[in-house]
Amino acid sequence: MSKINLAKQLGEQLPSDIIDFIQKAGEAAEKRQQRLYVVGGVVRDLLLDRCNTDLDLVVEGDAIKLAQAIAASKKASTTVHTRFGTANLKWASRSVDFITARAENYARPGALPTVNPGSIHDDLSRRDFTVNSMAIELNPRHYGELIDPFNGRQDLDKKLVRILHKKSFSDDATRIWRAIRYEQRLDFKIESETLRLIKRDIKMLETVSGDRIRHELELVFKEETPEKQLARAAELGVLEALHPSLRADDWQAETFAAAREKNLPDPTPSPLYLALLCYRLNEKELEQLIKYLRLTKTTAQVLRDTLAIREKTQELAAPGLAPSIVYHLLHGYSAAAYIANSIGSDSETASEHIELYLSVLRHVKPALSGKDLEKLGVPIGPEIKDVLQKLREARLDGRIGTKGEEEEMVRGLSL
Ligand code: ATP
């Protein structure tokens, strides 16, 4: 079969500084008698006409030494991971990963694989899906040649996500989440045998650490419309494997869309998405998930705060609440927890109160400081805090509005 050459597509679709970089990198590899390839997402997206500049370069030979040689000639910086034989090279705003081609073996399901140096074919064979298992050679004599041992290009045409072998999901069940992610992002279909194996191997998700599942979930939240991925995960029983009480229904889709709107200009509000995904869990369920995913303290706090505010919905839903009451009900929680409740609450009044708190009430402060109060004769100690609080309440409820009125109020207090 004649070789397909993608040099023209590379030149047309990638920015000129990247083309210049990969050509020089190919020449540097040639000089060192190494072979260099661009692999994975960039190749897939090049063939799909989608913009992707996240370069993953695979080297037959020592990737670290090649990356360092290129970095030296380009005044770029490298971060090296000797254990994995990888190096990350940064120049200007670009970031490129250099990976030593490797052959992997899984001793048991879910375990990290044992790794040995290998050929580009070995390296492509360890990958997740046919559409991600293509490479383009960068050495000058073969520049642009497509290497496609698993017919990835054909699956791109057929819009199929297909694993490379039957043990793929039992080797690494995070690929189940990855399959869903690509299917929904690219508007593909998971190929029928792959789908059957997902269903067979869902239980293998139990063999994967919570850390790795959390990472997959974070990647889902970086997608343009994660609700699509979650709905598919729910349909396949994958979301249930994460926690049996999680749901991905119309409510979820609507609240995620609202989260994107609220979070502009950054449209990937990960903590907010997570808070909304967990919004309907009770305390016990939430704690189980926090523990399983080993969430950071900050993220766990967002989720606990979201629940704490949700539990106040009834109080917040009372019409005509005094602003000082709203303030006290809502004071002291994490930012994303407010927004999750303002989006997720089933009470319009509660949402309005949260919005009022966020836009106005939380910024209200007395004009007088602790020092001013001392001068007005308030004894040093807890009284200062009490008086400041009373002043804030009076301001919140519109009983006073100026510094003079605050002074008058302080003088009138029996201290
Ligand atoms: P994305 O557009 O989602 O970033 P990508 O293809 O660049 O897509 P990465 O997660 O950056 O995805 O991974 C790079 C490549 O590494 C993938 O294309 C795939 O070939 C391989 N890969 C990543 N994770 C796995 C995995 N769990 N099992 C096998 N191969 C994987």
Side-chain angles (χ1 to χ4, degrees):
M1 217 168 78
S2 71
K3 290 221 164 100
I4 292 172
N5 194 297
L6 297 171
K8 188 161 165 274
Q9 282 91 328
L10 281 170
E12 282 166 2
Q13 286 184 40
L14 293 180
S16 57
D17 65 318
I18 290 193
I19 292 298
D20 185 53
F21 177 85
I22 57 177
Q23 285 177 342
K24 294 221 165 83
E27 286 160 19
E30 183 76 21
K31 261 192 215 147
R32 305 172 66 86
Q33 296 181 328
Q34 294 178 316
R35 294 184 92 157
L36 182 67
Y37 308 85
V38 56
V39 295
V42 168
V43 183
R44 177 197 69 222
D45 288 343
L46 185 80
L47 290 165
L48 286 174
D49 262 332
R50 290 169 70 100
C51 174
N52 185 345
T53 53
D54 273 342
L55 286 183
D56 283 326
L57 303 184
V58 165
V59 187
E60 280 178 336
D62 190 331
I64 295 177
K65 286 207 177 114
L66 178 63
Q68 285 169 335
I70 294 169
S73 69
K74 236 184 132 32
K75 293 201 188 102
S77 68
T78 49
T79 314
V80 164
H81 298 281
T82 319
R83 215 180 114 215
F84 301 109
T86 62
N88 175 267
L89 185 149
K90 284 195 170 42
W91 92 95
S93 61
R94 305 284 186 204
S95 165
V96 183
D97 284 322
F98 283 78
I99 306 151
T100 303
R102 63 205 212 194
E104 286 184 350
N105 251 311
Y106 287 82
R108 62 184 162 79
L112 289 176
T114 51
V115 172
N116 290 302
S119 66
I120 185 68
H121 280 91
D122 293 326
D123 198 275
L124 294 177
S125 306
R126 74 177 170 89
R127 289 174 183 266
D128 47 7
F129 309 112
T130 59
V131 294
N132 283 344
S133 304
M134 292 180 276
I136 299 173
E137 183 156 357
L138 299 178
N139 289 56
R141 276 177 301 144
H142 298 277
Y143 182 80
E145 277 178 17
L146 178 70
I147 298 167
D148 180 15
F150 302 99
N151 293 322
R153 211 169 63 102
Q154 202 177 318
D155 281 341
L156 280 182
D157 287 342
K158 292 192 194 157
K159 294 175 169 262
L160 289 176
V161 178
R162 185 198 307 264
I163 41 173
L164 308 188
H165 58 86
K166 276 193 156 65
K167 278 179 62 211
S168 187
F169 294 127
S170 60
D171 281 347
D172 177 358
T174 63
R175 292 172 186 162
I176 294 177
W177 274 104
R178 293 181 66 83
I180 291 170
R181 209 150 52 76
Y182 290 118
E183 179 193 52
Q184 296 302 311
R185 180 205 299 174
L186 301 173
D187 215 0
F188 277 26
K189 276 275 153 247
I190 296 174
E191 175 272 335
S192 60
E193 177 65 0
T194 301
L195 193 63
R196 186 184 73 77
L197 291 167
I198 287 184
K199 289 177 182 160
R200 186 194 72 180
D201 289 339
I202 275 189
K203 57 186 177 307
M204 301 313 282
L205 282 164
E206 288 167 22
T207 65
V208 178
S209 71
D211 281 321
R212 294 189 67 211
I213 299 288
R214 185 191 65 239
H215 178 63
E216 290 307 319
L217 204 55
E218 282 162 0
L219 292 176
V220 168
F221 290 152
K222 285 192 184 140
E223 295 290 329
E224 221 169 289
T225 46
E227 58 270 34
K228 280 171 62 182
Q229 270 86 359
L230 292 175
R232 181 67 158 145
E235 187 185 323
L236 296 175
V238 175
L239 194 64
E240 199 182 326
L242 181 56
H243 194 288
S245 300
L246 290 174
R247 280 179 282 158
D249 47 14
D250 288 349
W251 182 91
Q252 200 73 75
E254 283 160 23
T255 56
F256 270 44
R260 278 191 293 280
E261 287 271 306
K262 288 244 177 218
N263 220 48
L264 289 172
D266 174 10
T268 51
S270 290
L272 188 51
Y273 280 148
L274 186 61
L276 288 167
L277 179 64
C278 299
Y279 193 76
R280 291 171 289 179
L281 299 185
N282 64 32
E283 191 183 345
K284 188 171 157 214
E285 294 163 342
L286 187 63
E287 291 304 325
Q288 286 166 340
L289 199 65
I290 288 172
K291 191 168 165 209
Y292 170 53
L293 293 177
R294 293 173 21 113
L295 298 178
T296 61
K297 264 195 180 152
T298 318
T299 308
Q301 198 56 48
V302 169
L303 301 186
R304 290 183 182 123
D305 285 353
T306 303
L307 181 64
I309 299 176
R310 199 195 83 198
E311 283 176 341
K312 292 179 178 175
T313 301
Q314 228 181 345
E315 288 166 89
L316 286 164
L321 278 184
S324 61
I325 305 281
V326 176
Y327 182 91
H328 284 296
L329 285 170
L330 290 174
H331 178 62
Y333 295 113
S334 342
Y338 296 116
I339 307 175
N341 275 278
S342 107
I343 293 171
S345 176
D346 53 12
S347 153
E348 215 171 290
T349 311
S351 296
E352 282 165 11
H353 281 143
I354 294 168
E355 291 295 331
L356 178 70
Y357 173 81
L358 286 177
S359 57
V360 181
L361 305 185
R362 68 173 165 160
H363 305 297
V364 173
K365 282 191 189 81
L368 293 176
S369 66
K371 281 261 172 290
D372 295 331
L373 296 186
E374 267 178 66
K375 281 186 206 151
L376 286 168
V378 181
I380 301 173
E383 278 92 344
I384 299 269
K385 208 174 148 207
D386 283 355
V387 174
L388 285 172
Q389 195 170 317
K390 285 203 175 84
L391 290 174
R392 190 201 299 266
E393 280 170 13
R395 268 198 181 257
L396 282 165
D397 294 343
R399 283 182 275 121
I400 54 172
T402 65
K403 196 169 175 181
E405 284 169 341
E406 286 189 11
E407 285 167 351
E408 210 174 300
M409 183 176 155
V410 175
R411 287 192 199 99
L413 291 170
S414 50
L415 294 160

